[in-house]
Amino acid sequence: MSKHPTQTPPGPSLVPLRGAGKGPRPVNLQAVRAYGDTLDDGQMMLSFALPVPFSEEAKEAGRELCRKMGLLEPQVYHAHDLGEGFTYLTIYARNPHTVDFTKISVPKLDARRLDRHGVEALWAEHMTRKIRILGACTGDDAHTVGIDAILNVKGYHGEKGLEAYKCFEVKNLGAQVSNDVLLQEARAFAADAILVSQVVTQKDCHRSNLAALIDLAEAEGLRAGITYVCGGPRLSHAIALELGFDAGFGAGTTPTEVASFVVQAVVRERQP
Ligand code: B12
């Protein structure tokens, strides 16, 4: 699997935008601004909490923070008392900055999107034994719904999970599995692919935990020959590559997307 980012082809620098009854208006893709009420007004909404009691001073502190962030004309749209000396704020403000959309490039999965039939056909063409997939929610993380959605027969979004495929043998270790135990299980199971879920991101624990798994796998000689995939609502393919994984999947991932990547990665890994 290539770990190199693929360049998103630059689109035209001006694309028409449909405005209410006004016909197409041009968007300058080299200087895109946030959109609030009208094109190029730069308006954006931010929500955050401050550790100060609910008061007019708390609202002004929120506005001041926005000004310090370079935002203009901050207006408090909503504020409420979170209790225990905390205030929650929603602020609308104008952002004067732009981004050059034509220069944005995001790494994409190096795999074709196959349906379940395509996944099983590719497997049957190249392999005579099932692909062994080991899944877990690691570290202190107990959010198993995501990994279950991908692996369990019941699946997600109308798609069956990987357990339902005849080409996969799936072992789901569940919640709060340490990296140590995961790799011991991987060795015993002779896993072809390890699927790790990380949902909690407090203090960036998802990143440190995932990076530590790859370090340990390398130290134990278990990095080569196994496809490492991570997933969770605040993960992406770009973050996964950065942390040493082969692929990463974010919010809304469906089982077929994962099956499609895994079968191609494992088949490719086995080719000379
Ligand atoms: C249900 C839930 C719980 C349940 C979990 C039950 C269970 N068995 O999973 C319980 C009540 C136990 C729980 C506990 C806690 N929770 Co909670 N929980 C949630 C909640 C409401 C829903 C999560 C969920 O099930 N989503 C549905 C699944 C299908 O979506 P998903 O996880 O994104 O998975 C999809 C993709 O991300 C991807 N995916 C996920 N994993 C993987 C793995 C692979 C390999 C692949 C390919 C894809 C993939 O595919 C899935 C399908 O599309 C979220 C808020 C929210 N709305 O998201 C908070 C949330 C995740 N919880 C949170 C917190 C803080 C906690 C607690 C720390 C609370 C506390 N103080 O005790 C504890 C932590 C417990 C622990 N040790 O982990 C925070 C996390 C904040 C953060 N950024 O870190 C959230 C975001 C709530 C919030 N807004 O504050 N929680």
Side-chain angles (χ1 to χ4, degrees):
M1 264 325 118
S2 158
K3 290 184 181 161
H4 299 293
T6 50
Q7 178 77 39
T8 308
S13 63
L14 289 177
V15 292
L17 173 86
R18 295 255 160 226
K22 291 187 182 155
R25 285 175 293 153
V27 174
N28 181 357
L29 292 184
Q30 281 156 343
V32 171
R33 288 175 192 275
Y35 179 102
D37 303 316
T38 54
L39 183 64
D40 283 342
D41 65 10
Q43 295 288 354
M44 53 171 44
M45 200 169 263
L46 288 87
S47 299
F48 53 93
L50 290 178
V52 296
F54 179 61
S55 57
E56 287 306 313
E57 286 75 15
K59 293 182 195 170
E60 184 50 28
R63 285 188 285 261
E64 181 63 15
L65 205 52
C66 288
R67 285 185 211 104
K68 286 190 168 168
M69 290 162 71
L71 302 177
L72 308 171
E73 299 141 34
Q75 302 169 60
V76 174
Y77 267 40
H78 174 75
H80 73 250
D81 191 350
L82 285 175
E84 299 182 19
F86 284 77
T87 300
Y88 187 75
L89 295 161
T90 302
I91 294 189
Y92 201 56
R94 190 155 64 80
N95 186 334
H97 301 290
T98 61
V99 288
D100 184 347
F101 191 68
T102 64
K103 297 247 166 65
I104 303 268
S105 147
V106 176
K108 302 278 183 336
L109 279 182
D110 188 10
R112 284 175 297 139
R113 176 78 195 263
L114 304 171
D115 62 12
R116 182 169 163 187
H117 175 76
V119 168
E120 295 191 327
L122 183 68
W123 166 75
E125 200 184 313
H126 293 274
M127 293 180 75
T128 49
R129 64 156 179 87
K130 292 191 180 205
I131 293 172
R132 289 181 287 265
I133 295 180
L134 187 65
C137 190
T138 60
D140 291 332
D141 207 326
H143 294 86
T144 48
V145 180
I147 188 81
D148 290 350
I150 302 299
L151 295 181
N152 293 3
V153 174
K154 191 175 160 204
Y156 184 69
H157 213 257
E159 292 181 6
K160 294 280 185 207
L162 272 53
E163 279 178 356
Y165 287 62
K166 64 175 184 233
C167 59
F168 297 133
E169 183 180 350
V170 174
K171 191 167 180 187
N172 185 348
L173 300 176
Q176 297 189 323
V177 177
S178 70
N179 287 335
D180 245 2
V181 168
L182 179 61
L183 291 180
Q184 278 167 32
E185 292 280 345
R187 204 187 284 280
F189 186 53
D192 296 297
I194 295 182
L195 271 59
V196 183
S197 182
Q198 288 285 272
V199 174
V200 175
T201 57
Q202 287 162 335
K203 298 193 192 300
D204 265 352
C205 61
H206 62 311
R207 281 176 176 266
S208 48
N209 192 35
L210 291 171
L213 174 65
I214 297 299
D215 286 349
L216 192 59
E218 273 165 4
E220 299 205 355
L222 286 171
R223 179 63 188 92
I226 298 181
T227 297
Y228 285 77
V229 177
C230 60
R234 279 154 293 277
L235 284 169
S236 65
H237 187 53
I239 296 175
L241 296 184
E242 202 187 298
L243 298 174
F245 279 70
D246 295 304
F249 292 84
T253 302
T254 63
T256 321
E257 293 175 71
V258 182
S260 187
F261 173 78
V262 169
V263 73
Q264 290 174 70
V266 171
V267 162
R268 203 177 307 190
E269 182 72 42
R270 291 166 54 83
Q271 280 165 357

